[in-house]
Amino acid sequence: MRSLASRAAALAAVLTTATLLVPHPASAAAQLVANGTFTGSTAPWAALGQSTIAVEDDRMRVEVKNVVANPWDAMVAAPATAALNPGKSYTLSFDAHSTVAFTAKATVQYTATPSSNQSLATDVRLTSSSKRYSIPFTAAQASATAAEVTFQLGGSGAKPVVRFDNVSLMETQTTRPTGLYVNPLSNPARWAAEHVNDPAATPIRDNIGNKPIFEWFGGWFTDLTKAVDTYVGAAQAQDRLPMLVAYNIPNRDACAGHSGGGAGDAAGYHAWITEFAKAIGSRHAVVVLEPDGVAAAGCVTRIGKDPEDQYRMLLDATQVLRAEAPNAWVYLDAGNATWIPAAQMAPLLVKSGIANARGFSVNVSNYITTADSQAYAVAVDGLLRTTVGAKTYVIDTSRNGNGPYVDGTPEDNWCNPPERRLGASPVRQTSGAEYLFWVKVPGDSDGPCGIGADVPAGSFSPDLAMSLINGGS
């Protein structure tokens, strides 16, 4: 295993069921829906036509009273708290489920001319399972731009009861945020908050939990849209950049197996990466695409698979991200400086779609020094310049403060090795690597190996975290 395994199940549950409650600085993106969490009431939402509304367990319960022909014959609406900016990008997000499966309609429309001037009017397939919907759109041109959000629930041929929660409408920032998002629900931050009386809580919080760390996304989320949208929306609310790892390619981690898994096949992966990208939508983000996906592709021959299929799936993923998440800076992973030589890595990146990405990442979940990682990245970039042109690159410094461990077996050297240390804190640079990032979550295990022999891959260990803080001492 050369990269981080799936996130802990507890974190998956948190991100797929909870709204992130974070402080909003003065520069925060404005929330344009009042009371989208329906705390104590449904106001300012109003029932129109053949519908009634009530608050139920801090959700909005909407009952369609009679069978009606048109969607707008039974609807709910709430005014936007500010006028829309024509030509600007927005995202409407919400959770919903219904007692009857049917296709509803969600709109964001100008109140002066609602039926003829809708910035967003999209069909939404509702089922009995609660699902997150995240819908990007561009505000239409209009002279009067006061707007409202509506959910139109008529025309189903039945009398459904629909429940809504976590309704959000926010404009995408015109200027890309410069600050990186600190997730209060990262594994180390959450552990420190839940163990305040443990002597390790303060150093883990201060040295790791308070840092901007990537969030990893894979098939362990039952509602991927909710997980991604909740995380990206929380960052947007603070005017910070969310940082995401897409980690679900089929035949994942074929070289070692501690993080094996991924989507079942190419079609499943295309569907997954499409949902992932659409959940980001037009919002600003950073994405590291498939750690080890290129470097480990050759290992799939061990299980009777063709490496060329891996490269084709990565190419498709870069195309999907470029189309569906146009403001995401995507870095296709290039392994590390000791794995695939630069002369071999560069053409593999080309066939895997580096032309569609902003650049590439190196040293994800590894311990190679920043200097050696930099030299490797410069060599790769130099070769790319002859084919697809210059690309930026980023380096994972999360655990490379003491460099690599070289005293054991090959697995000992990368799988929870002893005496390692946190590396340079995440920062954007003006020369060399575009960013130094903490892509790997410090304290998350590489697998049941090394000094984390009893810790499953992807699970947080305070002992592993403290070892990195103290440099193994």
Side-chain angles (χ1 to χ4, degrees):
M1 195 308 266
R2 295 179 186 263
S3 57
L4 180 68
S6 65
R7 309 291 286 141
L11 178 57
V14 169
L15 278 177
T16 54
T17 59
T19 299
L20 298 184
L21 300 177
V22 292
H24 291 188
S27 59
Q31 175 57 256
L32 301 181
V33 172
N35 194 24
T37 57
F38 308 104
T39 304
S41 76
T42 58
W45 292 82
L48 303 172
Q50 294 298 308
S51 66
T52 61
I53 60 175
V55 64
E56 177 187 81
D57 298 328
D58 288 338
R59 295 175 298 177
M60 179 170 64
R61 180 185 187 275
V62 185
E63 181 176 354
V64 176
K65 297 185 293 183
N66 293 295
V67 176
V68 291
N70 300 305
W72 56 85
D73 289 336
M75 59 187 287
V76 292
T81 59
L84 301 188
N85 292 315
K88 299 298 184 180
S89 297
Y90 291 81
T91 300
L92 174 68
S93 303
F94 55 93
D95 301 329
H97 65 284
S98 171
T99 55
V100 174
F102 76 105
T103 299
K105 187 177 291 293
T107 80
V108 179
Q109 58 193 28
Y110 295 125
T111 54
T113 53
S115 61
S116 61
N117 209 341
Q118 295 174 326
S119 289
L120 169 69
T122 187
D123 289 341
V124 178
R125 185 65 183 174
L126 301 179
T127 69
S128 58
S129 298
S130 182
K131 186 180 185 302
R132 185 73 171 169
Y133 301 85
S134 181
I135 308 163
F137 67 95
T138 300
Q141 298 293 329
S143 56
T145 55
E148 64 182 356
V149 176
T150 79
F151 297 116
Q152 301 180 3
L153 308 175
S156 69
K159 297 185 286 184
V161 175
V162 184
R163 292 169 173 86
F164 293 95
D165 202 0
N166 299 317
V167 184
S168 170
L169 176 63
M170 285 197 284
E171 179 182 347
T172 300
Q173 305 96 312
T174 301
T175 302
R176 188 177 183 83
T178 56
L180 302 176
Y181 178 56
V182 177
N183 182 8
L185 293 179
S186 71
N187 274 357
R190 206 159 47 84
W191 185 91
E194 293 172 354
H195 298 82
V196 292
N197 294 323
D198 192 300
T202 297
I204 288 175
R205 180 197 65 210
D206 293 348
N207 291 281
I208 303 176
N210 286 346
K211 303 287 188 180
I213 308 170
F214 274 68
E215 190 64 47
W216 291 58
F217 295 86
W220 50 90
F221 287 107
T222 57
D223 188 339
L224 179 64
T225 296
K226 186 177 183 71
V228 173
D229 178 69
T230 300
Y231 174 76
V232 173
Q236 183 185 15
Q238 291 194 30
D239 197 35
R240 296 290 187 266
L241 270 176
M243 301 164 295
L244 307 87
V245 175
Y247 194 52
N248 200 41
I249 192 168
N251 314 308
R252 188 179 64 211
D253 197 28
C255 293
H258 288 313
S259 296
D265 53 25
Y269 184 59
H270 175 81
W272 184 90
I273 199 69
T274 300
E275 182 178 356
F276 174 86
K278 286 185 173 181
I280 298 172
S282 62
R283 294 173 290 191
H284 300 290
V286 173
V287 175
V288 167
L289 179 60
E290 296 299 341
D292 298 353
V294 176
C299 290
V300 303
T301 57
R302 300 177 182 179
I303 54 176
K305 303 293 185 179
D306 186 352
E308 295 300 321
D309 290 336
Q310 302 297 114
Y311 306 134
R312 281 189 285 269
M313 286 186 284
L314 290 166
L315 171 62
D316 177 68
T318 65
Q319 294 169 337
V320 168
L321 284 161
R322 185 176 65 174
E324 302 293 350
N327 288 322
W329 286 4
V330 177
Y331 300 94
L332 179 61
D333 190 63
N336 66 71
T338 64
W339 195 350
I340 307 293
Q344 297 176 31
M345 175 55 67
L348 296 180
L349 289 172
V350 171
K351 69 167 61 179
S352 299
I354 190 67
N356 301 316
R358 182 172 179 84
F360 58 94
S361 56
V362 298
N363 202 47
V364 171
S365 296
N366 218 290
Y367 303 84
I368 312 302
T369 65
T370 301
D372 287 348
S373 297
Q374 169 93 10
Y376 176 70
V378 168
V380 172
D381 180 50
L383 294 163
L384 291 174
R385 288 170 185 259
T386 65
T387 51
V388 298
K391 290 293 179 179
T392 61
Y393 57 90
V394 298
I395 299 172
D396 183 358
T397 60
S398 58
R399 305 186 296 180
N400 73 350
N402 282 348
Y405 183 72
V406 295
D407 294 335
T409 67
E411 179 169 290
D412 292 335
N413 296 343
W414 62 261
C415 199
N416 298 325
E419 301 172 6
R420 300 309 92 199
R421 185 182 292 274
L422 297 172
S425 294
V427 65
R428 187 172 186 185
Q429 303 192 127
T430 57
S431 62
E434 186 165 29
Y435 282 97
L436 303 181
F437 275 139
W438 285 10
V439 184
K440 170 74 176 187
V441 180
D444 277 9
S445 176
D446 294 318
C449 49
I451 61 172
D454 59 346
V455 185
S459 296
F460 180 77
S461 164
D463 292 336
L464 289 174
M466 289 303 297
S467 180
L468 291 169
I469 292 169
N470 297 323
S473 59

